[in-house]
Amino acid sequence: MTPTAAELDLTAIFGALADPTRRSILARLSKGDASVLELADPFDMSQPAVSKHLKVLEQAGLIVRGRDAQRRPCRLDPRRLKQASDWLGTYRQFWEASYERLDDYLQQLQTKERKRDTKTRNRRRTR
Amino acid sequence: MTPKLEIVAEPGKTHFTTKRVVDAPRSLVFDTFTKCEHLKQWMGPRNLTMTSCQIDLRVGGKYRFVFRLPDGNSVGFSGEFKEIVRPERIVRTFVFEPIPEAAALETLELVESGETTIITTTTVHQSVENRDGHVNSGMEDGMTQGYARLDDLLAGLLQQR
């Protein structure tokens, strides 16, 4: 089944926040913009490794990259992080999707139960 | 038609409530909320896989759910049971592990209504800010304040390391 846009959205944010390095990068960026080089330094990481994390953060919409081709400074986008920490929005996405699955699952369970009941009754009858 | 998930969050309050009707008897719904074999089949959006489920269903007992994201990362939800009245009521703490400082108290109530069960949840956060999200980036607050609150949020995120 293809995930809905809301599911993708939620997953991107969860995925971005789940990694401790990316959380540290966000913490660093909350103090001000920084280039890849400036970010790589305190984390003792190679530039490509940091760039990979930045790409995830950018795709989740948590940071924006500057246009300056040389430096491409990273800036935190607090709107998106608000969305990530917005319990109501997150709950809605999470639970709407969950309850839809629960509907199907309860149906399955009850169908199974009914079949079992019918079988038991039939067995009794033939006895 | 899929029943609607109603969410009520009054302005200025620290709690919000949700309501959802499902087409099943209450005892079965209670089981699907409290047994891992069932929870693994439905909890979370379809693109998240519940990779770990632990439930110690007694007062003071802990629970923890871990979901794997499509990119391989994992995210956990956990808490402790405070009250259990089978098959109608559960009170438990709730922590979304990436944001541990935003712990909440959650009450699940199941009410039988004919062939259906009405599921209501009440989630109480420690503050209105926690309920609404930590960073208020509304224009009237200005970006400075937004960033200040963001620092707090991130401090909480980092504590978890």
Side-chain angles (χ1 to χ4, degrees):
Chain A
M1 191 172 284
T2 359
T4 63
E7 281 172 351
L8 286 175
D9 224 38
L10 188 69
T11 309
I13 291 178
F14 277 4
L17 289 176
D19 184 88
T21 307
R22 288 199 283 275
R23 291 201 296 272
S24 308
I25 291 173
L26 288 176
R28 164 64 186 84
L29 290 176
S30 74
K31 303 205 160 52
D33 300 358
S35 68
V36 178
L37 206 65
E38 287 161 339
L39 286 170
D41 191 37
F43 296 114
D44 199 20
M45 279 174 80
S46 68
Q47 275 192 57
V50 170
S51 292
K52 225 170 120 187
H53 284 304
L54 292 176
K55 211 168 163 193
V56 177
L57 291 171
E58 197 180 5
Q59 274 164 359
L62 291 162
I63 64 165
V64 285
R65 306 287 301 274
R67 291 227 181 85
D68 177 354
Q70 283 295 307
R71 208 172 151 259
R72 299 208 64 204
C74 305
R75 177 181 308 136
L76 197 68
D77 188 346
R79 281 170 307 180
R80 189 65 162 161
L81 202 54
K82 182 205 178 308
Q83 207 184 328
S85 65
D86 180 338
W87 284 97
L88 303 181
T90 310
Y91 262 61
R92 181 180 287 283
Q93 286 180 21
F94 189 92
W95 285 103
E96 261 172 6
S98 295
Y99 278 125
E100 272 168 36
R101 293 179 68 187
L102 181 62
D103 288 336
D104 294 343
Y105 184 58
L106 285 168
Q107 206 85 77
Q108 267 179 45
L109 287 175
Q110 291 181 97
T111 310
K112 249 188 242 164
E113 220 167 88
R114 271 195 292 273
K115 270 189 193 148
R116 203 181 309 131
D117 286 354
T118 320
K119 251 185 224 161
T120 322
R121 262 201 306 277
N122 289 345
R123 218 174 290 141
R124 268 195 213 122
R125 233 175 263 151
T126 52
R127 226 179 260 166
Chain B
M1 207 184 81
T2 310
K4 225 182 132 218
L5 173 66
E6 288 171 42
I7 299 185
V8 179
E10 286 173 51
K13 297 276 173 66
T14 60
H15 71 274
F16 70 91
T17 60
T18 73
K19 189 175 156 190
R20 176 63 150 78
V21 179
V22 292
D23 194 9
R26 180 163 74 166
S27 58
L28 184 61
V29 178
F30 188 89
D31 279 353
T32 58
F33 271 84
T34 50
K35 288 185 179 165
C36 286
E37 56 182 285
H38 293 316
L39 280 165
K40 282 187 171 174
Q41 301 300 319
W42 68 269
M43 193 182 171
R46 277 176 219 272
N47 61 345
L48 305 187
T49 317
M50 194 189 271
T51 49
S52 167
C53 177
Q54 290 160 278
I55 295 179
D56 181 9
L57 191 64
R58 57 192 170 90
V59 173
K62 302 250 195 328
Y63 71 91
R64 184 165 190 253
F65 310 129
V66 180
F67 291 90
R68 196 183 51 234
L69 307 159
D71 65 3
N73 274 304
S74 287
V75 63
F77 302 84
S78 51
E80 190 181 307
F81 294 104
K82 298 290 183 191
E83 195 186 325
I84 298 158
V85 186
R86 183 186 292 271
E88 54 183 77
R89 187 177 150 89
I90 286 174
V91 182
R92 63 185 188 182
T93 60
F94 180 91
V95 177
F96 172 52
E97 291 174 1
I99 310 179
E101 78 280 14
L105 191 69
E106 209 178 62
T107 303
L108 172 78
E109 275 172 313
L110 307 178
V111 175
E112 214 147 33
S113 169
E115 306 271 284
T116 66
T117 301
I118 304 165
I119 304 168
T120 59
T121 67
T122 305
T123 306
V124 185
H125 284 279
Q126 288 151 17
S127 67
V128 179
E129 287 74 20
N130 277 2
R131 189 199 70 173
D132 292 346
H134 278 244
V135 191
N136 190 337
S137 62
M139 293 303 279
E140 66 279 10
D141 282 295
M143 292 297 273
T144 320
Q145 197 184 341
Y147 277 118
R149 291 203 192 166
L150 192 59
D151 282 344
D152 294 344
L153 168 66
L154 290 163
L157 290 179
L158 293 171
Q159 263 171 27
Q160 195 219 347
R161 293 183 68 194

